[in-house]
């Protein structure tokens, strides 16, 4: 039985999580179908290389949760797919629930590990703000939203079939009329493989350049704790945590962040966590892979200098 993965674009680019979904799909089935809405053949190629056998293109004009759920359900039925993988992104979270209702299946959200088969999936997901993990077995039909950066992207070669679907979005009650760009993240937090985050320990907004310089050198996105956001030092779009963004980068560098449970909820699944904090008792050190007990205003510029030497 096939597995269906819903690809997501950002502007003209295929989001990396789309490739993670088709790669994850191969753990469940030898037939992975990707649904590509408003994408190009170049996007389809990227999906094939990451694990898709079939890419179904659909030209639904604009995003709406009902419309996407209707199209995805129709394509899943046409391809005989009972397990549907969706990015755990703002958009994916928006339509996954509707899609689960539409296909009469269960919904597992914010999954970080997946295995099993296209009849029964086994997933692992953080619960209680990342304090514990739940392992679930779900019989198909099932909709699974997968946390960006949690899955390895494989290199795949095989048949590359592009099909088109005229599945319609149907009656749509709510429409997105406008998106206003926020404060302007240089690199999107959710997709970043390295994140440098600052908390109350950075003392004030005038000190962001200390962290931004390190971001620029290593190609990281800039994150923040809620304390920094609530103080008005930076836009909410940068907030990591329970009431901010959930991230799963390869490396998360926490600077002057104590490590409250609500912050850990958003970054606890990072592969490597580096904590820089002058308080050796700060809870962030309990989850850190590497800890530096020192003043961030000494450590961060020193790191930036060293990375500049290595990376040029
Ligand atoms: C319902 C709810 C939702 C929440 N959601 C979120 C959320 O999404 N994200 C989030 O982050 N928080 C969230 N919070 C808030 C959370 O509980 C903490 O208050 C917040 O994370 C603390 O931010 P902080 O670590 O920057 O500040 P603090 O806890 O004040 O920590 C600052 C740290 O900086 C260190 N420090 C100070 N100066 C230096 C220096 N020069 N060099 C190195 N270290 C230094 C200190 O030792 C300290 O550990 C939420 C709270 C609630 C109740």
């Amino acid at each position: 039985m096939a597995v269906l993965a819903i690809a997501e674009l950002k502007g003209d680019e295929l989001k990396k999580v789309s490739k993670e979904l088709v790669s994850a799909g191969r753990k469940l089935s030898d037939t992975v179908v990707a649904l590509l809405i408003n994408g190009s053949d170049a996007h389809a190629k990227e999906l094939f290389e990451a694990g898709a056998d079939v890419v179904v293109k659909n030209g639904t004009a604009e995003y709406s949760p009902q419309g996407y759920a209707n199209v995805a359900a129709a394509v899943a039925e046409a391809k005989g797919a009972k397990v549907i993988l969706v990015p755990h992104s703002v958009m994916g979270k928006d339509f996954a629930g509707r899609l689960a209702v539409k296909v009469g299946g269960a919904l597992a959200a914010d999954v970080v590990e997946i295995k099993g088969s296209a009849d029964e999936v086994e997933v692992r997901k953080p619960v209680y703000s990342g304090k514990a993990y739940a392992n679930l077995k779900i019989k198909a039909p099932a909709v699974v939203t997968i946390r960006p950066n949690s899955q390895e992207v494989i290199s795949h070669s095989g048949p590359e079939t592009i099909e088109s679907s005229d599945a319609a979005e149907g009656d749509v009650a709510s429409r997105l009329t406008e998106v206003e760009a926020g404060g302007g993240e240089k690199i999107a937090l959710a997709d970043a493989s390295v994140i440098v985050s600052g908390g109350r320990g950075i003392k004030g907004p005038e000190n962001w350049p200390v962290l931004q310089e390190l971001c620029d050198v290593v190609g990281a996105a800039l994150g923040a704790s809620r304390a920094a956001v609530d103080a008005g030092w930076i836009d909410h779009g940068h907030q990591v945590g329970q009431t901010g963004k959930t991230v799963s980068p390869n490396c998360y560098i926490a600077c002057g962040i104590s490590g409250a449970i609500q912050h850990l909820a958003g970054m606890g699944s990072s592969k490597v966590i580096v904590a820089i904090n002058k308080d050796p008792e700060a809870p962030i050190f309990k989850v850190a892979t590497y800890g530096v007990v020192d003043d961030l205003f000494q450590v961060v510029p020193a790191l930036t200098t060293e990375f500049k030497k290595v990376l040029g």
Side-chain angles (χ1 to χ4, degrees):
M1 207 188 293
V3 166
L4 178 68
I6 316 292
E8 187 174 329
L9 303 177
K10 185 171 187 191
D12 290 336
E13 282 182 22
L14 184 76
K15 283 183 128 184
K16 178 176 165 262
V17 66
S18 311
K19 296 194 262 185
E20 294 180 49
L21 297 192
V22 288
S23 294
R26 296 218 77 81
K27 296 182 196 166
L28 310 176
S29 171
D30 288 336
T31 310
V32 177
V33 180
L35 169 60
L36 179 61
I37 298 181
N38 282 321
S40 65
D41 286 355
H43 298 135
K45 182 83 186 147
E46 288 186 68
L47 291 165
F48 290 132
E49 286 169 359
D53 307 288
V54 180
V55 172
V56 177
K57 289 169 81 178
N58 176 278
T60 294
E62 58 189 24
Y63 174 71
S64 74
Q66 278 174 306
Y68 268 43
N70 290 341
V71 170
V75 171
E77 192 181 356
K79 304 311 292 179
K82 295 228 178 309
V83 172
I84 307 173
L85 308 181
V86 175
H88 193 73
S89 58
V90 173
M91 194 174 91
K93 285 186 268 185
D94 196 31
F95 74 84
R98 286 174 191 274
L99 179 56
V101 172
K102 201 100 199 113
V103 299
L107 171 68
D110 199 14
V111 161
V112 294
E113 286 177 31
I114 184 162
K115 58 184 184 180
S117 71
D119 297 313
E120 186 178 71
V121 283
E122 293 175 45
V123 300
R124 185 171 166 83
K125 54 171 278 172
V127 289
Y128 303 123
S129 300
K131 269 190 179 168
Y133 282 84
N135 297 322
L136 310 172
K137 269 190 189 175
I138 309 166
K139 284 204 188 317
V143 174
V144 178
T145 71
I146 294 191
R147 185 181 284 196
N149 274 331
S150 66
Q151 307 297 310
E152 193 192 341
V153 175
I154 60 163
S155 169
H156 174 75
S157 59
E160 300 184 357
T161 310
I162 296 185
E163 296 177 5
S164 66
S165 158
D166 56 6
E169 56 176 356
D171 286 337
V172 170
S174 66
R175 284 239 173 255
L176 183 71
T177 51
E178 193 183 358
V179 176
E180 275 183 42
E185 298 166 60
K186 279 190 172 178
I187 299 175
L189 266 183
D191 300 326
S193 63
V194 183
I195 293 174
V196 177
S197 266
R200 211 191 312 258
I202 73 151
K203 312 280 188 240
E206 66 281 5
N207 292 321
W208 287 119
V210 177
L211 269 54
Q212 186 62 59
E213 207 187 334
L214 177 58
C215 288
D216 292 343
V217 172
V218 299
L222 181 65
S225 73
R226 177 162 162 178
V229 171
D230 284 354
W233 297 349
I234 194 164
D235 188 82
H236 179 261
H238 292 265
Q239 185 179 314
V240 173
Q242 191 178 316
T243 43
K245 294 201 167 110
T246 304
V247 297
S248 205
N250 290 335
C251 181
Y252 187 89
I253 307 177
C255 310
I257 293 177
S258 59
I261 185 68
Q262 296 89 355
H263 189 79
L264 302 185
M267 45 62 77
S269 62
S270 307
K271 278 111 204 150
V272 171
I273 296 171
V274 180
I276 304 165
N277 195 306
K278 61 182 187 183
D279 174 8
E281 302 297 325
I284 190 81
F285 288 123
K286 291 202 179 103
V287 297
T289 325
Y290 302 101
V292 184
V293 181
D294 208 337
D295 184 346
L296 74 93
F297 295 105
Q298 303 294 322
V299 178
V300 175
L303 277 177
T304 306
T305 306
E306 289 307 311
F307 276 121
K308 257 187 201 159
K309 280 187 208 157
V310 176
L311 301 171

